[in-house]
Amino acid sequence: MKQKTFLTTLALFLFFFNLGIFIVSVVMFRDMVNRAEDRSLGEHYFIASALIKDFQAVESRGTDIDGFLSSLLQPYSYLSRDNKAGLAFYKNNQLVYSNKNATVLQSNSLKPPGNGNRLVTIRKVDDRTYAIVSGKLPAPYDSYTLVYLYDITEAINSWSHLKNILFFAGLVLSVVLTFGLLLVLNRIFKPLKQITRISKDIANGAYGTRLPVSGHDELTEMSQSFNHMAEEIQRQMTELKDAADKKQQFVDNFAHELRTPLTAIYGYAEYLQKAVLSEDDKLSALNYIMSESRRLQTVAFQLLELANLQNNQITCEELKVSNLFETVRQTLYGKHAGKDVQIEFSSEIETIRGDYCLMESMLINLIDNAIKACGDGGHIIVSASKEAGKKTISVQDNGKGMTPEVLSQITEPFYRGEKSRNHGDGGAGLGLALCKQIASIHNAELCFSSRPGEGTTAKITFTTP
Amino acid sequence: MASILIVEDEAAINELVKRNLQLVGHQCTSVFDGKAAVSEMQHRSYDLMILDIMLPELDGFEVIKQSEKTPTIFLTAKNSLPDRIKGFSMGADDYLTKPFEMLELLARVEAVLRRTQKTASCFEAGNVKIDFSNHQVFHNGQLVECTPKEYELLEVLVNNRNIALSRERLLELVWGYDFEGDTRTVDVHIQKLRKKLGWEDRIKTVYKLGYRLEVDR
């Protein structure tokens, strides 16, 4: 591209520049020739008219002109002191007088037309160029022909010198222009080169690379949009990477969730099969096998539920909040009978739109978590109310709370507050992921606010009235 | 026997590993998080540590950093290559992924202990004494003549004592994978050992399974 532009521009320039020089020199040449011809014509006319007067004077004295021709013509030969001009005089095509090199004049072409017009020619003889004017004297002396020569060699030489200077200057200018053009093109194409380099970098994975932006021209605009593109690519790559990381995390956690109970089940079964055991040992091994199987079952069930929620539409109906709370209370009563946790239900709204089973499952999950966070002496408030025109249900506890870092990840599947995967408090880490999913298919928003040591509040805000 | 620290947050698995190691006579201490493991090691030294990676408080990699050259076997659900490489590069002696088999765990523990020279050079049960360093077996103080296969079989039984070993597994462990004889070879050798050592009661036939060397724990 750059080379092409360079060659085309250079060729065009050289062509027109040299054409200009050529035209100028041609015009100058023509001008010079015209001037020489005009001058020669003038001289010729002057000499001819003077001669006629002389002839008349000679004839009036009754003398024959032919005998005095030389002496008559002599004075005019000195018209040009620099010996540039020459005269020749013919009578009936016979040279009768000449003050110049005869060879110049021995030519038929000097013969003027008969009608009294004068013939002007430019002729080159022996390296010298002459403007030649020949014309017959007017009647009654029309048997005489006067030829006037004017040497224009020097004028031509000076023209040719000037022309050479012009072409030389043109050559020098062309060389200067060539370099100038190269320089300018390099400047213009520098950003393009940069773009090529940087897009290669980006293609190789250096997504953070950017073009430097300066100035206010089209290239700047291009750089800006290029940078914008690079930013978008980088952003999307980051998003993809994050998604992949999350997926990897999910798969890791999932594998762990499956592997741990399987390891225990297999291990205890093998232990039962191969070792000598007391009745107590046997019973505890069997207990482990059963509880770990149950854990596997829970994971499988919750995963299935999660998958179902992602695929299925639910049927929403008006639910009585008081009924919902009563069911939840009864379920929890059986589950946490031994724990010293106070649960308080309060409701300011009558009904709520949603799927009964799912709402119940979500509330139980949230309250379960609250109970786990509290331990003994906990106080949990479950309330339904209207906030800013939107129905909300909140579960508030006075438990141990969470750091913001933990808070941001608690709805990820298999995430646990502690890095540990201790199952002392049960569950597979899917509960809140389920809650979030349930909330989202109800067009509701599930958010948590928490402070370490002060407790946590989970709030479900419904966007549907 | 060796003293072994088990660091594993899953109570069920911690207990399982402990019971398995106790079967073959090791002394085990269970801890359930990384911090407890570090402080336990400051109290006393252990011949071996069985370490999980995903642990509360301090993860396994942190624990091994602070363990001051206690031989370590990682026992973890993380089975990706980068994790394994990281485990070994941080100084683990072995890396075992869940789910694991009892015999494999015991074999690896045995191997690490042998490398770090913490295995007993002697084993005694009743009136039988086995000198592992000299490959000699004594019954009532009398040297007992054993064929190489008999000695190897005895060694496998002792290393996996209190655990039932199937005839196939015994064939594999003593005779090797490419042995073409049938499982009666094992029965014949077991009979010979019982006779030579007076272990008719100790080497039990386990119904439908194989044999087990029973030794008081």
Side-chain angles (χ1 to χ4, degrees):
Chain A
M1 178 66 190
K2 184 174 138 192
Q3 213 174 9
K4 228 178 185 177
T5 316
F6 173 69
L7 287 178
T8 319
T9 316
L10 191 66
L12 273 176
F13 171 80
L14 286 183
F15 176 71
F16 284 110
F17 189 69
N18 287 307
L19 187 70
I21 292 176
F22 177 72
I23 288 172
V24 165
S25 58
V26 164
V27 166
M28 273 168 55
F29 182 77
R30 302 228 26 113
D31 192 47
M32 188 219 32
V33 168
N34 281 341
R35 259 187 291 129
E37 282 177 354
D38 284 350
R39 187 200 145 125
S40 304
L41 276 171
E43 290 282 290
H44 186 271
Y45 180 75
F46 169 70
I47 294 171
S49 53
L51 264 182
I52 287 169
K53 275 187 191 146
D54 290 346
F55 281 3
Q56 282 169 346
V58 171
E59 271 181 339
S60 66
R61 271 188 267 151
T63 332
D64 187 33
I65 300 165
D66 293 352
F68 295 95
L69 273 177
S70 296
S71 50
L72 280 173
L73 287 166
Q74 194 67 39
Y76 302 110
S77 302
Y78 301 111
L79 268 173
S80 57
R81 271 156 294 165
D82 50 4
N83 205 21
K84 267 181 169 179
L87 272 180
F89 205 68
Y90 294 83
K91 185 182 180 188
N92 297 328
N93 292 338
Q94 283 286 302
L95 183 66
V96 286
Y97 173 82
S98 161
N99 73 335
K100 253 300 194 215
N101 190 344
T103 51
V104 185
L105 307 165
Q106 285 170 353
S107 167
N108 296 335
S109 63
L110 295 179
K111 198 173 180 184
N115 55 5
N117 284 346
R118 289 169 294 177
L119 179 75
V120 184
T121 51
I122 303 290
R123 172 157 307 178
K124 197 169 181 188
V125 183
D126 299 341
D127 297 334
R128 297 196 77 78
T129 312
Y130 300 95
I132 302 169
V133 181
S134 69
K136 289 190 169 170
L137 296 184
Y141 308 108
D142 53 359
S143 57
Y144 298 101
T145 304
L146 178 68
V147 174
Y148 180 81
L149 291 145
Y150 184 64
D151 189 346
I152 55 168
T153 311
E154 270 171 37
I156 287 193
N157 280 348
S158 77
W159 166 80
S160 147
H161 185 61
L162 195 69
K163 181 195 74 183
N164 285 343
I165 285 176
L166 268 177
F167 275 107
F168 179 72
L171 195 73
V172 170
L173 272 174
S174 300
V175 171
V176 169
L177 176 99
T178 309
F179 284 105
L181 196 65
L182 263 179
L183 231 75
V184 168
L185 281 177
N186 266 337
R187 262 188 85 91
I188 289 176
F189 280 90
K190 197 178 150 204
L192 289 181
K193 255 189 188 163
Q194 232 170 6
I195 288 175
T196 316
R197 193 164 46 81
I198 284 175
S199 54
K200 263 184 203 154
D201 283 354
I202 289 178
N204 285 337
Y207 298 109
T209 328
R210 294 286 178 277
L211 276 176
V213 178
S214 61
H216 297 283
D217 54 10
E218 294 89 340
L219 279 172
T220 319
E221 229 168 85
M222 194 182 74
S223 307
Q224 275 165 352
S225 67
F226 183 89
N227 281 348
H228 180 65
M229 180 193 76
E231 257 160 44
E232 281 299 302
I233 290 176
Q234 192 179 19
R235 191 179 57 75
Q236 288 180 10
M237 285 308 292
T238 319
E239 269 176 20
L240 277 179
K241 205 172 164 293
D242 283 353
D245 282 352
K246 246 184 195 174
K247 202 161 195 176
Q248 186 56 46
Q249 185 70 40
F250 178 84
V251 171
D252 282 354
N253 289 341
F254 182 56
H256 185 273
E257 264 344 286
L258 286 186
R259 225 169 251 152
T260 306
L262 274 179
T263 307
I265 292 167
Y266 182 89
Y268 280 105
E270 199 184 18
Y271 178 68
L272 279 173
Q273 183 198 38
K274 293 181 177 162
V276 197
L277 301 173
S278 67
E279 279 305 308
D280 276 359
D281 281 349
K282 267 183 199 166
L283 270 181
S284 75
L286 282 171
N287 273 339
Y288 276 124
I289 289 176
M290 282 161 71
S291 68
E292 293 298 306
S293 309
R294 232 183 347 260
R295 195 168 124 200
L296 263 186
Q297 195 186 4
T298 314
V299 173
F301 173 74
Q302 285 190 327
L303 268 181
L304 194 66
E305 203 173 344
L306 204 58
N308 272 338
L309 283 176
Q310 271 159 357
N311 296 330
N312 290 356
Q313 280 296 313
I314 48 153
T315 48
C316 280
E317 53 193 355
E318 291 289 326
L319 310 173
K320 278 210 160 144
V321 176
S322 52
N323 283 357
L324 184 66
F325 280 3
E326 192 49 42
T327 320
V328 171
R329 192 207 301 272
Q330 277 168 10
T331 314
L332 288 171
Y333 185 75
K335 240 178 160 177
H336 299 284
K339 276 199 176 174
D340 181 23
V341 177
Q342 215 182 338
I343 306 177
E344 202 177 291
F345 289 90
S346 75
S347 172
E348 293 170 18
I349 49 177
E350 286 276 302
T351 59
I352 210 153
R353 268 191 83 77
D355 182 287
Y356 196 88
C357 287
L358 292 180
M359 294 296 285
E360 185 192 333
S361 143
M362 172 160 67
L363 275 179
I364 287 173
N365 258 317
L366 289 176
I367 296 169
D368 256 351
N369 278 326
I371 291 170
K372 277 174 206 157
C374 287
D376 281 351
H379 188 89
I380 297 167
I381 303 169
V382 184
S383 62
S385 62
K386 230 170 183 175
E387 274 179 30
K390 286 175 181 166
K391 288 178 181 172
T392 58
I393 296 178
S394 66
V395 178
Q396 191 183 345
D397 68 58
N398 61 348
K400 55 188 174 188
M402 290 172 281
T403 58
E405 199 198 356
V406 174
L407 204 61
S408 64
Q409 298 181 64
I410 49 173
T411 53
E412 294 294 326
F414 297 117
Y415 180 81
R416 279 161 194 288
E418 285 185 358
K419 217 177 179 186
S420 71
R421 317 205 125 254
N422 196 340
H423 290 269
D425 51 5
L430 283 171
L432 288 179
L434 264 177
C435 288
K436 191 185 172 195
Q437 200 64 42
I438 292 173
S440 88
I441 59 172
H442 279 91
N443 291 321
E445 200 188 337
L446 175 64
C447 61
F448 294 87
S449 55
S450 180
R451 269 209 197 137
E454 288 180 23
T456 309
T457 306
K459 190 180 278 178
I460 311 146
T461 311
F462 291 84
T463 50
T464 47
Chain B
M1 291 278 94
S3 63
I4 298 176
L5 181 65
I6 303 166
V7 192
E8 164 69 64
D9 61 331
E10 293 279 346
I13 292 175
N14 197 318
E15 183 67 26
L16 177 69
V17 174
K18 188 177 175 181
R19 286 185 184 197
N20 282 332
L21 291 175
Q22 277 172 345
L23 281 181
V24 293
H26 295 299
Q27 286 181 342
C28 297
T29 310
S30 290
V31 290
F32 298 89
D33 64 66
K35 256 187 192 163
V38 172
S39 70
E40 187 62 38
M41 272 184 298
Q42 282 163 353
H43 274 293
R44 50 172 293 202
S45 70
Y46 286 89
D47 297 329
L48 179 69
M49 170 164 60
I50 311 270
L51 183 61
D52 193 7
I53 291 177
M54 287 198 273
L55 287 169
E57 311 289 347
L58 283 177
D59 72 16
F61 294 129
E62 279 299 316
V63 173
I64 197 172
K65 249 190 241 170
Q66 300 179 24
S67 71
E68 290 172 14
K69 294 182 182 166
T70 305
T72 302
I73 297 177
F74 272 120
L75 176 63
T76 173
K78 279 174 172 279
N79 65 347
S80 72
L81 189 61
D83 284 323
R84 282 192 234 195
I85 288 170
K86 191 175 176 192
F88 280 117
S89 69
M90 293 192 73
D93 293 87
D94 210 338
Y95 196 103
L96 193 56
T97 56
K98 297 173 189 171
F100 59 92
E101 281 199 44
M102 202 167 162
L103 288 180
E104 191 181 2
L105 175 71
L106 293 178
R108 285 177 191 247
V109 166
E110 208 57 43
V112 171
L113 288 175
R114 202 184 312 132
R115 270 207 299 279
T116 54
Q117 299 185 328
K118 291 288 199 272
T119 43
S121 59
C122 245
F123 171 80
E124 272 191 81
N127 45 13
V128 174
K129 185 180 171 194
I130 304 166
D131 183 351
F132 289 114
S133 45
N134 294 319
H135 289 214
Q136 282 176 327
V137 185
F138 300 93
H139 183 225
N140 290 329
Q142 296 281 308
L143 185 65
V144 179
E145 289 294 330
C146 286
T147 65
K149 286 293 170 218
E150 280 168 5
Y151 178 79
E152 275 180 60
L153 178 62
L154 183 62
E155 200 175 5
V156 166
L157 285 171
V158 168
N159 282 338
N160 296 298
R161 57 189 172 273
N162 293 322
I163 296 170
L165 296 161
S166 67
R167 291 178 176 82
E168 288 77 15
R169 184 56 64 95
L170 283 170
L171 262 185
E172 193 182 306
L173 289 172
V174 178
W175 280 269
Y177 284 106
D178 46 359
F179 182 71
E180 301 215 336
D182 74 25
T183 50
R184 248 172 308 161
T185 315
V186 179
D187 298 335
V188 171
H189 279 80
I190 291 281
Q191 292 307 329
K192 282 185 184 163
L193 272 181
R194 278 177 175 160
K195 222 174 232 172
K196 282 183 179 173
L197 302 174
W199 270 6
E200 279 84 2
D201 290 337
R202 287 201 189 272
I203 301 179
K204 289 262 167 68
T205 304
V206 183
Y207 177 62
K208 278 196 173 175
L209 198 66
Y211 297 99
R212 175 166 61 211
L213 173 63
E214 290 185 3
V215 179
D216 300 332
R217 275 180 265 164

